[in-house]
Amino acid sequence: MRKQIGEPSAAVLDVGSFSARLVVLAKGGSPLDPVLSHQTRLRLDRELDDDGNLTRRGIDAVSSAVEAGMTMAAKHGVENVYPLATSSIRDAGNVKQVVRDVEKATGVKLRFLAGRREAELAYVGARRWYGASAGGLLVLDIGGGTVELAAGDGEEAGFAHSLPLGARSLTRDWFATECPSPKVVRAMREHVLDEVRDAMQDVLPQIRDHRAVGCSKVLRQLARLAGDRPSRSRELHLDDLRAWIPRLAKLPAKRRAELPGISRQRSHQALAGAIVAEALLTLSGGQVAICPWSTRDGLLLGMLDGLVTLEGEPAKAA
């Protein structure tokens, strides 16, 4: 007999570039032990045309993935699912068409979070992971389209910011070839560092003693590449990362995918991700701990506790 999860529960269908993943938590539950998890693979990075529009095949793939996730939820008695679409869809040139066509095919209207809200929820996820005793946290999240920064001492972030410096976007905008010249790499490193410094300069004096934590697959893969091992505390160090940047620049995506930690799906954007990570670590003490929880987990936990509405926004105090 199929298990009926019922309510109250928190459910998110996270539609990204590489997968659409349904995660459901029961009351009092944790992202470490979801009562239901279902994943449909996607490759939306391959479905963008020269104008940045998602192709018909890509839109159909999103519709199929959304349908599969929602069907799985319904089979288990889960009704209120937040259909979160990430920057891979949000930044598409034909995003309105994508949302309209997916809703027509599935009855589900994809939702988006503003970059600042993504940063705030990533902070919630990291804070729940480390707990109140961890003190101040600086949360860093490198996505495909944007980078989210958040910092604070309590349950909620006092500082949250989003930058258009995602690994996928920078790869598209800066690298005409898989192995860019040293001049191009140097120019991009300078540009990214300037952008991050401008965003953080006002808050840096207040967060110098905060623990820097990284909440993204990009940082997780770079930590594995730069010497981390599963048996050790997961950290990424600036000196180790810097040594890899010129090496990544000399390798095509296929060769990068053979390196420790670098997945085939993200190999083409590994260099850009490393350059963004370098800038973040330069301004945050040279070391970042890898946190497994991020925006989706913060959204789930907030919904479960009644602190976040079904629209993904903070619940109003009674």
Side-chain angles (χ1 to χ4, degrees):
M1 182 177 179
R2 184 179 292 113
K3 180 180 178 181
Q4 296 295 297
I5 296 171
E7 305 293 345
S9 63
V12 172
L13 179 62
D14 185 2
V15 186
S17 183
F18 302 111
S19 70
R21 187 181 179 195
L22 171 71
V23 180
V24 183
L25 306 186
K27 183 178 181 180
S30 163
L32 288 173
D33 187 27
V35 291
L36 178 62
S37 180
H38 177 270
Q39 181 170 292
T40 301
R41 293 193 178 279
L42 292 170
R43 285 306 304 267
L44 300 187
D45 58 317
R46 296 177 176 175
E47 299 301 336
L48 290 172
D49 64 22
D50 293 339
D51 296 321
N53 295 320
L54 197 61
T55 65
R56 169 47 53 187
R57 185 169 65 177
I59 296 173
D60 290 343
V62 172
S63 296
S64 296
V66 169
E67 183 69 30
M70 291 300 188
T71 299
M72 180 63 66
K75 286 180 179 179
H76 289 81
V78 179
E79 297 180 357
N80 294 316
V81 179
Y82 188 98
L84 173 62
T86 62
S87 64
S88 56
I89 296 174
R90 183 186 66 211
D91 296 342
N94 58 338
V95 58
K96 291 182 179 180
Q97 178 192 350
V98 176
V99 172
R100 183 177 62 249
D101 289 359
V102 171
E103 184 175 15
K104 182 178 180 180
T106 67
V108 175
K109 186 173 183 178
L110 296 172
R111 299 178 186 174
F112 304 95
L113 294 172
R116 179 184 173 87
R117 187 63 183 141
E118 288 191 4
E120 292 171 341
L121 290 169
Y123 177 88
V124 170
R127 173 57 68 188
R128 294 296 185 90
W129 179 262
Y130 286 101
S133 62
L137 296 180
L138 169 61
V139 177
L140 314 172
D141 188 341
I142 304 173
T146 57
V147 169
E148 274 64 60
L149 312 170
D153 298 293
E155 286 295 309
E156 297 181 0
F159 163 81
H161 196 77
S162 180
L163 293 168
L165 298 174
R168 180 187 66 250
S169 299
L170 289 176
T171 299
R172 179 193 63 219
D173 295 343
W174 281 78
F175 299 152
T177 64
E178 288 189 331
C179 301
S181 69
K183 181 179 179 180
V184 170
V185 172
R186 182 168 58 253
M188 181 175 163
R189 292 168 88 168
E190 292 173 355
H191 167 75
V192 172
L193 182 58
D194 287 344
E195 292 291 311
V196 174
R197 183 183 288 113
D198 287 346
M200 297 180 66
Q201 62 182 355
D202 291 340
V203 75
L204 278 175
Q206 289 78 43
I207 64 173
R208 291 199 182 279
D209 295 329
H210 284 35
R211 174 187 294 191
V213 299
C215 300
S216 68
K217 288 186 174 67
V218 171
L219 287 165
R220 194 177 311 152
Q221 292 193 3
L222 290 172
R224 179 71 175 87
L225 172 69
D228 186 26
R229 296 294 181 270
S231 60
R232 294 170 47 192
S233 176
R234 306 192 70 178
E235 294 180 342
L236 177 62
H237 296 261
L238 180 58
D239 290 344
D240 296 331
L241 177 63
R242 275 191 176 139
W244 271 102
I245 289 177
R247 298 166 70 179
L248 288 170
K250 295 178 181 179
L251 296 175
K254 185 176 180 180
R255 291 285 306 279
R256 293 176 192 166
E258 298 171 356
L259 299 171
I262 303 299
S263 67
R264 178 174 54 83
Q265 295 91 335
R266 288 182 168 81
S267 59
H268 68 287
Q269 61 189 41
L271 173 59
I275 290 173
V276 176
E278 177 192 31
L280 295 174
L281 267 66
T282 297
L283 296 173
S284 60
Q287 177 179 320
V288 62
I290 305 302
C291 175
W293 289 358
S294 187
T295 297
R296 180 184 65 219
D297 307 289
L299 177 59
L300 282 163
L301 291 165
M303 292 170 64
L304 204 59
D305 293 347
L307 301 176
V308 176
T309 68
L310 290 175
E311 285 70 44
E313 295 301 320
K316 295 182 179 179

